[in-house]
Amino acid sequence: MRLGEPGPLSEGDKTTAGDTVEKTIDNALWAFKQEIKHQTENLVDIVLEAAVSCSHKTLHYALLLGLLHGENPDWVSSFIGAAGQRFERELQAGEVVGPRLLLRLFACLTHTSVLHSNDVLGLMERTVDVAMKQATAGADPSGLTWQPWCDQLVYAVLGALVWGGARLKAAASDEHEALMQKVQQYMDARLTQESVELRPMYGANDATDAVAASDSGGAGFLGQLWHAVQVLRQEPQTLQQQEDIDPNDPDAPQHHDDPEPPLQQLEIQGIPMQLVTAYVNKLKGQAVELPPISLPDAVPGVEFDAAQLGLVGRAEVAIKLQGRYPARGGMRILESQYTDGSRGALERFIAEEMIIDLLAAFDAHRVELAQMLCSGLPLPYDYSGLLCETLFAQLLRLPHPRLTPVAFSALIAHTALLRPAFPRYLAGSVRQLYLRLQFLAPELAGRLADVLAHFISNMSFRWPWDKYRMGLAQPPGGPQRTFLIAVLHDLVKLTSWDHQLLLQETPAEFLALLGDQPGFVGLPMPLPYPPPAAPPAGLPAVQQLQLQQQQGGGGTDGQGEVQQVPEARDEGGDEQMTEADGSAAAAGDSTVHEQDAAAGSAAGTDEAMQHIEQQQQQQQSEAGPSLRQQAGGDAAMAEADAGQQEQQQPEVQDPEMLWAGKLLGVMQSRPPPEYKPLTYEQVIEWIDKQEMAQQLGSPAAHLRAVIRAVLAAGSKSCSHCYVLIERYSPYLLKLMEQLDEEQQQQQQQHEEGAEQVKSGQQMVLDTLG
């Protein structure tokens, strides 16, 4: 992944890849030779997988193989043989991603004198012949049973031609032109030129709206790529002609008036050919031949000829092929000056290919993926706008996104932190899509709202809401208004209705779109610690303050000085305890200190659990009378408090809900003397000690009660829910296994009983017979 990138190999690693790009190649070549010398097992497969996965470093690996070819041609020949076998095997199985990247590698190996240009162009021509054979067979006049497969073959050839560039044509111009003519014949023969059903927009603002003209990278993409590749048909100067021309010779032919561009002008900035030029004197190996590669004659996976299939059969094959070979994904959201600048269409294609290939290869490594997208691409220009547009295009791809919306949310958040210019283009992309919501497909609007809510929550809920006020003036059901409501509801799901940052950073008129806070039915009520008693009203202010400090600080140390209990925090350390929990914990701490002073020993885990049980039993028996009533004085206030507490904590009749509430109180408790949440082992120990499974009577009821408590404890936010589920997943899996065993036993008993009944019936019939 770091091949060709100067600097340390990884964070915290003292070794470096090199101070310059050339130094990184030299160091990698030396390490490569050492691996070959020690005969590292499966080295060919490892390098082959790396060259395919890190597709943005294809030319770097081609250069590395070219430098190695001069000293160890046997190993390079074995590598080429393994690459050819993998190309054939995957293509016969109907896979297209691996063969496309390998064909790109073959084209780059012609630059480093490893492969013959004629062999690579011949393989490309044979690949186009396979597609052309299917296109002209006439078995399916609709083309739906063959065109998705054939388009992928031609797409792989055109992509390899772009990486081969003008140098590949200069080395074999006749074969190159013959290949281009065959591609032209296929483009004329293909039936579907645009996938209208994959358009993300149902309409357009005007005739020049590029966003509405997209078809999610469907059939229309191949036509656009073919149009961009036409620049390679121009006649550049060959390398030999450039070397023979002396720029200081006044009699030398001048080409500044020549309308045909020179070779350097046809080279693409995204393909670092200057790196190959720096090592041109060391690339002196004898080129090897490609191994024999057989190509499939028919569409892989289609068992019958399309001519023999009926209408329904062809429809089934078409659906299968569209699912196997989905659209590439693509949408023009921003103006070209923010994404392409003055660069050509091939520059955009190369950059998009690098981004899309990395998304597919490193989906499981999100942090490394974000780092490579932000700083690992060999692009010598600022591509922040193009990166943003490509990510949104893959998110809004039809019929399905390339990654899940949650994955895009995390990736966009990481990218916004690593590239300072990225948030500006992100806001512009969301703004352009927001203005076209009346045309955008509802499915895509939902994906956009989901990702935007995740991004806002990761950015401390800061967002330029003022630019989205047009949705406030729309009637209910308006597209912009509906989108804003969806974003706000997603924000509430990610946090809570009363999240402070959400309320502070979001304007009140936008919060009004949420409506009234809904009630929650069926959640178990936790059993918290009782609040501390309030000081009598008749005490002077100084004595009241001292009493409050003693209650909140855990008593005195014997010398009259108030001890301070460390501020209690939850396990993640992200929020302070609420005022009631803090006071309750402090009151409990005071009691424990007095007991410790008398007994001379600290309370352990068992004592903490006994304390929890006593508090819960006390609350259940007393039904929660207000302690202010005892200090009190005001019967009306006490009566109102008692009624409110009774309303907030209704009596639970369901045993499962009762035990779920007990378990929730244990999970959320912070028992003295440490005032820290109980660990997973302590909670499970409490469950076993209380014989919760036996009290509920069945594994199913036990499992439901634990699940309710876990979900209620994690209802604060999505991240809390993830943490709680992951923490208690071993115990939940254990309960599920017990439930499965019980169900299997019941099923076995049922079958045995049915067998006995059947035997008895047969005995009766035999007796009667």
Side-chain angles (χ1 to χ4, degrees):
M1 293 190 301
R2 302 299 302 272
L3 183 63
E5 298 180 19
L9 292 175
S10 62
E11 294 184 5
D13 194 349
K14 296 181 179 180
T15 60
T16 61
D19 298 332
T20 62
V21 177
E22 291 78 9
K23 189 63 176 179
T24 64
I25 299 296
D26 295 337
N27 292 340
L29 180 62
W30 178 86
F32 212 158
K33 294 177 182 178
Q34 296 298 317
E35 298 292 342
I36 297 176
K37 178 181 178 181
H38 293 87
Q39 298 180 353
T40 302
E41 186 179 1
N42 300 327
L43 181 59
V44 172
D45 297 334
I46 293 174
V47 177
L48 186 59
E49 183 64 28
V52 172
S53 299
C54 300
S55 57
H56 61 299
K57 299 296 179 67
T58 302
L59 191 62
H60 294 78
Y61 278 100
L63 175 60
L64 198 62
L65 292 170
L67 295 173
L68 186 66
H69 182 50
E71 302 181 16
N72 199 330
D74 295 337
W75 191 92
V76 176
S77 299
S78 63
F79 176 85
I80 297 299
Q85 292 176 4
R86 178 171 176 173
F87 180 89
E88 176 182 342
R89 181 175 63 254
E90 293 187 356
L91 203 61
Q92 293 286 354
E95 300 178 13
V96 293
V97 177
R100 174 174 61 85
L101 299 176
L102 286 174
L103 196 60
R104 177 197 299 181
L105 178 62
F106 293 158
C108 291
L109 287 174
T110 61
H111 303 322
T112 58
S113 303
V114 177
L115 292 178
H116 292 288
S117 300
N118 295 338
D119 290 349
V120 177
L121 289 172
L123 178 59
M124 295 181 186
E125 186 174 350
R126 291 171 52 209
T127 305
V128 178
D129 288 339
V130 173
M132 191 63 188
K133 179 181 177 182
Q134 295 292 327
T136 56
D140 181 13
S142 67
L144 298 179
T145 58
W146 55 265
Q147 184 169 332
W149 159 255
C150 295
D151 281 358
Q152 291 291 332
L153 296 179
V154 179
Y155 166 37
V157 171
L158 292 180
L161 280 176
V162 175
W163 281 82
R167 294 173 182 262
L168 183 61
K169 180 183 178 181
S173 57
D174 295 339
E175 291 81 357
H176 190 278
E177 182 59 28
L179 175 61
M180 299 289 279
Q181 292 178 2
K182 288 197 173 184
V183 174
Q184 182 65 63
Q185 293 175 4
Y186 173 77
M187 297 300 297
D188 296 337
R190 64 197 295 259
L191 300 176
T192 305
Q193 301 294 332
E194 184 181 3
S195 302
V196 182
E197 70 279 3
L198 296 181
R199 285 185 175 179
M201 298 286 180
Y202 298 148
N205 290 332
D206 50 48
T208 61
D209 193 352
V211 182
S214 171
D215 64 346
S216 295
F221 164 73
L222 192 63
Q224 298 171 3
L225 178 59
W226 172 241
H227 178 73
V229 171
Q230 296 299 315
V231 69
L232 297 178
R233 306 186 78 169
Q234 302 178 16
E235 293 290 342
Q237 296 174 333
T238 63
L239 285 173
Q240 186 63 36
Q241 289 174 340
Q242 294 179 27
E243 293 175 358
D244 294 341
I245 296 176
D246 185 2
N248 298 324
D249 187 3
D251 299 331
Q254 302 295 324
H255 295 276
H256 58 272
D257 295 330
D258 191 347
E260 301 295 338
L263 184 63
Q264 291 87 343
Q265 294 181 6
L266 292 181
E267 290 182 353
I268 300 172
Q269 300 180 47
I271 303 177
M273 291 302 301
Q274 68 277 4
L275 188 61
V276 178
T277 305
Y279 287 92
V280 66
N281 295 328
K282 297 182 180 181
L283 301 174
K284 299 298 184 180
Q286 185 67 28
V288 300
E289 295 182 357
L290 274 175
I293 298 176
S294 61
L295 303 178
D297 297 330
V299 181
V302 180
E303 301 178 357
F304 303 99
D305 188 3
Q308 301 175 358
L309 298 175
L311 182 61
V312 177
R314 290 200 297 269
E316 292 177 351
V317 173
I319 294 174
K320 182 179 180 180
L321 290 182
Q322 290 179 359
R324 186 189 300 174
Y325 310 117
R328 176 179 179 267
M331 180 188 296
R332 296 296 184 100
I333 302 176
L334 300 172
E335 296 182 6
S336 60
Q337 59 179 336
Y338 301 114
T339 56
D340 302 337
S342 59
R343 299 179 293 273
L346 291 183
E347 292 283 358
R348 180 187 179 93
F349 167 74
I350 290 296
E352 286 182 343
E353 286 288 281
M354 292 180 179
I355 297 171
I356 293 174
D357 292 338
L358 286 177
L359 290 177
F362 293 94
D363 176 31
H365 307 277
R366 303 282 167 75
V367 177
E368 291 80 1
L369 175 58
Q371 292 175 351
M372 285 187 290
L373 290 177
C374 293
S375 59
L377 301 184
L379 301 176
Y381 50 83
D382 183 13
Y383 56 91
S384 299
L386 183 57
L387 174 61
C388 180
E389 187 174 79
T390 304
L391 292 179
F392 273 98
Q394 298 304 310
L395 168 67
L396 303 179
R397 186 185 69 168
L398 286 173
H400 305 291
R402 186 169 295 274
L403 306 178
T404 61
V406 175
F408 276 108
S409 302
L411 184 59
I412 289 174
H414 281 296
T415 306
L417 296 176
L418 295 176
R419 286 193 76 88
F422 185 85
R424 180 165 61 93
Y425 295 104
L426 184 145
S429 300
V430 175
R431 177 67 175 170
Q432 292 298 321
L433 294 171
Y434 179 78
L435 296 176
R436 294 173 172 82
L437 282 175
Q438 67 271 24
F439 304 125
L440 188 65
E443 161 69 15
L444 303 185
R447 296 182 201 171
L448 182 62
D450 189 6
V451 171
L452 181 59
H454 278 84
F455 179 79
I456 294 176
S457 64
N458 282 305
M459 297 295 120
S460 301
F461 299 90
R462 296 176 181 175
W463 185 253
W465 293 103
D466 292 339
K467 297 182 180 180
Y468 296 83
R469 291 186 175 275
M470 62 176 297
L472 300 175
Q474 290 184 349
Q480 278 79 14
R481 184 184 183 91
T482 303
F483 177 79
L484 293 176
I485 293 176
V487 173
L488 292 171
H489 275 286
D490 287 341
L491 287 174
V492 171
K493 293 176 184 177
L494 293 172
T495 55
S496 62
W497 281 83
D498 55 352
H499 196 279
Q500 293 298 323
L501 285 178
L502 175 62
L503 300 178
Q504 292 175 4
E505 301 295 339
T506 309
E509 51 268 40
F510 287 89
L511 292 175
L513 297 176
L514 288 171
D516 296 332
Q517 179 177 351
F520 296 94
V521 181
L523 288 179
M525 298 296 295
L527 302 175
Y529 287 99
L539 291 179
V542 176
Q543 297 182 6
Q544 289 186 11
L545 179 59
Q546 293 177 354
L547 181 59
Q548 290 176 356
Q549 289 178 349
Q550 293 176 2
Q551 292 179 350
T556 62
D557 59 356
Q559 298 179 359
E561 295 180 2
V562 179
Q563 296 179 347
Q564 296 295 332
V565 177
E567 187 179 8
R569 294 179 178 267
D570 61 12
E571 207 166 309
D574 53 10
E575 292 184 4
Q576 296 182 358
M577 287 173 46
T578 59
E579 182 178 357
D581 287 343
S583 301
D589 189 32
S590 176
T591 303
V592 171
H593 274 288
E594 294 174 1
Q595 294 176 355
D596 289 347
S601 60
T605 303
D606 295 336
E607 183 179 354
M609 291 185 176
Q610 293 176 3
H611 183 79
I612 296 172
E613 297 168 11
Q614 294 174 1
Q615 295 292 342
Q616 293 175 350
Q617 294 175 1
Q618 179 181 0
Q619 287 190 357
Q620 292 177 9
S621 61
E622 295 179 359
S626 175
L627 292 177
R628 284 197 299 263
Q629 182 181 7
Q630 299 176 4
D634 193 347
M637 179 66 71
E639 193 174 330
D641 290 343
Q644 183 179 4
Q645 186 173 5
E646 183 178 0
Q647 181 179 2
Q648 291 180 353
Q649 190 164 343
E651 184 179 359
V652 181
Q653 302 294 338
D654 187 2
E656 295 180 14
M657 293 294 294
L658 178 61
W659 278 101
K662 291 181 179 181
L663 180 57
L664 178 60
V666 172
M667 291 179 178
Q668 295 181 345
S669 65
R670 296 178 176 86
E674 297 180 353
Y675 298 98
K676 293 182 179 180
L678 298 180
T679 63
Y680 165 79
E681 291 78 9
Q682 291 174 329
V683 174
I684 301 303
E685 182 181 354
W686 181 88
I687 294 176
D688 296 337
K689 186 176 180 180
Q690 295 293 320
E691 298 181 351
M692 183 175 175
Q694 293 79 359
Q695 296 291 336
L696 291 173
S698 66
H702 186 197
L703 177 62
R704 287 193 296 268
V706 175
I707 290 177
R708 286 177 174 176
V710 171
L711 294 180
S715 61
K716 182 178 181 180
S717 66
C718 288
S719 60
H720 285 74
C721 187
Y722 295 154
V723 171
L724 266 297
I725 292 177
E726 182 180 6
R727 181 180 303 165
Y728 291 95
S729 58
Y731 190 70
L732 294 176
L733 291 175
K734 177 182 176 181
L735 296 181
M736 293 174 66
E737 292 176 357
Q738 295 177 359
L739 180 60
D740 292 339
E741 292 177 358
E742 183 187 33
Q743 292 177 349
Q744 291 177 1
Q745 294 177 359
Q746 293 177 356
Q747 181 68 20
Q748 184 177 0
Q749 294 175 359
H750 176 74
E751 293 177 354
E752 292 177 355
E755 186 67 25
Q756 293 177 0
V757 172
K758 185 177 180 181
S759 300
Q761 292 176 350
Q762 185 64 34
M763 186 180 298
V764 173
L765 293 176
D766 293 341
T767 304
L768 293 177

